[in-house]
């Protein structure tokens, strides 16, 4: 691919935003399109833990992306803050997993992958996190796990892109299909008319499969609903992230505490429900009993881009010259974004890749 090309990116979540950010200095121009406002779907709705919830349960393909991203996130946050004045708040708190059924597997994974995960006495967990509930008997802890304040990451990435003279962002611009010349994709059909591009990148999250259907391609990416709630406590209320029974508590620097999340196959319905609210509140109080006296200040739902084994699709679409994918990150879009977008840029630009791109290639998977 030559540097004198225009790249059209369909989907303005964190994956689309960061893809644009990585490509902008390497191509003539980037046009980023979003059906609503950038970053308002799963990128906004997620918790922002910079780790898969249970990293030892994932394939080596997910682990490779996660490790690279975890190491890179602090410098990404610093660079965006310096460039835009908007701090994504990459906040290293550590993470306690409580009463795991597969604790032995987790510790074996940590030794194999050389990650700083270790068993700790439950009394040590209570000393470190005094507000932790009393109903737990075992804990493991990884000290270097961070969380990123995803709404601020979105704002920072958007501001960084708007400052670049060769990047255009079109919000409220829905893409309905692709423009082709023979076997080549040369643009997209949108609510604002045709937008042409030398290369088209699909980063539309849960909607990516629907768009590929217009080319008679089947991409096994589907929406998976997740609901979360938010409390506001004192800034020093919770010192570390905690996770038990599939539910987690995430502290922000200003005392906001996120509790998540549900896992629901409800199509594109992202209506918050009272059933989920009560379930999340019960989990919150089990983890942190003092939250029984706190007020829920937010409750929302988002749609994850579910994919087989959570392995994203990164690379060229076979049979359609000029069409690329960077989508299908399931529960780990925020975790994997830095590595996924760096790997995507490496593959598109013909550079030596940061990791082996083969497990993510669309060829043979769609």
């Amino acid at each position: 691919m030559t540097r004198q090309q225009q790249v059209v990116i369909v989907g303005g979540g964190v994956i689309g935003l960061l893809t644009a950010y990585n490509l902008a200095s390497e191509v003539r121009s980037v046009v980023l399109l979003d059906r609503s406002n950038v970053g308002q779907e799963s990128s906004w709705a997620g918790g922002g833990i910079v780790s898969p919830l249970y990293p030892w349960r994932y394939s080596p393909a997910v682990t490779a992306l996660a490790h690279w991203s975890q190491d890179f996130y602090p410098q990404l946050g610093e660079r965006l803050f310096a460039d835009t004045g908007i701090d994504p708040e990459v906040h290293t708190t550590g993470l306690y997993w409580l009463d795991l059924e597969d604790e032995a597997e987790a510790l074996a994974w940590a030794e194999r992958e050389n990650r700083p995960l270790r068993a700790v006495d439950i009394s040590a967990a209570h000393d470190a996190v005094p507000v932790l509930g009393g109903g737990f008997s075992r804990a493991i802890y990884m000290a270097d796990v961070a969380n990123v304040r995803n709404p601020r990451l979105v704002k920072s990435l958007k501001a960084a892109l708007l400052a670049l003279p060769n990047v255009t962002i079109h919000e409220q611009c829905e893409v309905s299909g692709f423009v082709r010349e023979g076997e080549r994709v040369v643009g997209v059909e949108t609510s604002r008319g045709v937008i042409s591009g030398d290369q088209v990148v699909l980063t539309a999250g849960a909607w990516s499969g629907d768009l590929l259907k217009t080319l008679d391609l089947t991409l096994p990416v589907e929406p998976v609903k997740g609901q979360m709630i938010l409390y506001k406590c004192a800034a020093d209320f919770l010192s570390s992230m905690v996770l038990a029974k599939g539910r987690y508590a995430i502290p922000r620097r200003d005392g906001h505490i996120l509790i998540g999340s549900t896992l629901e196959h409800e199509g594109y319905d992202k209506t918050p429900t009272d059933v989920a609210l009560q379930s999340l509140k019960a989990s919150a109080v089990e983890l942190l009993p003092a939250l029984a006296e706190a007020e829920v200040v937010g409750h929302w739902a988002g749609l994850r881009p579910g994919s087989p084994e959570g392995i994203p699709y990164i690379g060229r679409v076979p049979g359609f010259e000029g069409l690329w994918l960077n989508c299908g990150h399931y529960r780990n879009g925020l975790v994997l974004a830095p590595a996924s977008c760096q790997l995507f840029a490496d593959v598109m630009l013909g550079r030596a890749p940061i990791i082996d791109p083969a497990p993510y290639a669309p060829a043979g998977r769609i």
Side-chain angles (χ1 to χ4, degrees), residues 81-342:
F81 188 20
D83 287 352
T84 69
I86 301 169
D87 187 358
E89 293 189 14
V90 180
H91 184 30
T92 302
T93 64
L95 172 58
Y96 286 91
W97 288 264
L98 306 167
D99 289 0
L100 279 172
E101 293 180 0
D102 56 351
E103 182 176 306
E105 289 88 339
L107 294 171
W109 169 88
E111 185 172 356
R112 189 169 64 247
E113 297 289 337
N114 195 31
R115 306 307 281 186
L117 176 69
R118 59 187 175 86
V120 296
D121 191 87
I122 193 65
S123 63
H126 280 286
D127 288 344
V129 187
V131 291
L132 185 64
F136 304 104
S137 58
R138 300 186 325 279
I140 63 174
Y141 177 66
M142 189 149 60
D144 64 351
V145 184
N147 66 77
V148 61
R149 196 157 184 174
N150 36 305
R152 298 193 181 187
L153 175 63
V154 166
K155 288 179 181 176
S156 186
L157 282 167
K158 181 180 179 181
L161 290 174
L162 289 174
L164 298 175
N166 66 331
V167 175
T168 304
I169 297 176
H170 291 307
E171 297 178 304
Q172 308 298 324
C173 182
E174 185 161 8
V175 173
S176 56
F178 301 92
V179 180
R180 296 169 63 187
E181 290 180 358
E183 294 300 304
R184 184 171 188 86
V185 172
V186 295
V188 290
E189 299 168 352
T190 82
S191 54
R192 300 188 183 193
V194 170
I195 295 178
S196 299
D198 301 291
Q199 310 290 334
V200 174
V201 188
L202 188 55
T203 60
W207 289 265
S208 298
D210 285 356
L211 283 169
L212 282 189
K213 284 178 186 174
T214 66
L215 298 174
D216 294 324
L217 292 174
T218 300
L219 180 74
V221 173
E222 61 174 351
V224 182
K225 181 177 178 179
Q227 299 189 50
M228 301 187 67
I229 59 175
L230 183 70
Y231 294 89
K232 180 67 168 72
C233 301
D236 61 352
F237 173 76
L238 181 62
S239 58
S240 176
M241 295 179 283
V242 293
L243 190 159
K245 300 179 183 177
R247 298 281 172 84
Y248 51 77
I250 304 171
R252 301 302 197 207
R253 287 178 180 162
D254 63 1
H256 280 100
I257 309 293
L258 285 81
I259 306 291
S261 66
T262 65
L263 201 61
E264 307 166 61
H265 293 266
E266 301 285 347
Y268 289 100
D269 175 18
K270 56 175 186 174
T271 308
T273 65
D274 190 61
V275 170
L277 174 62
Q278 299 309 319
S279 174
L280 290 164
K281 287 172 71 173
S283 294
V285 171
E286 185 177 11
L287 280 168
L288 308 168
L291 291 181
E293 307 303 319
E295 178 188 359
V296 174
V297 296
H299 175 207
W300 63 86
L303 299 174
R304 309 175 185 89
S307 59
E309 297 185 71
I311 300 174
Y313 297 85
I314 303 172
R316 189 190 303 272
V317 178
F320 293 87
E321 189 69 23
L323 181 61
W324 304 76
L325 301 182
N326 192 0
C327 60
H329 293 74
Y330 197 16
R331 305 190 76 175
N332 295 311
L334 286 158
V335 184
L336 305 182
S340 295
C341 297
Q342 184 66 46

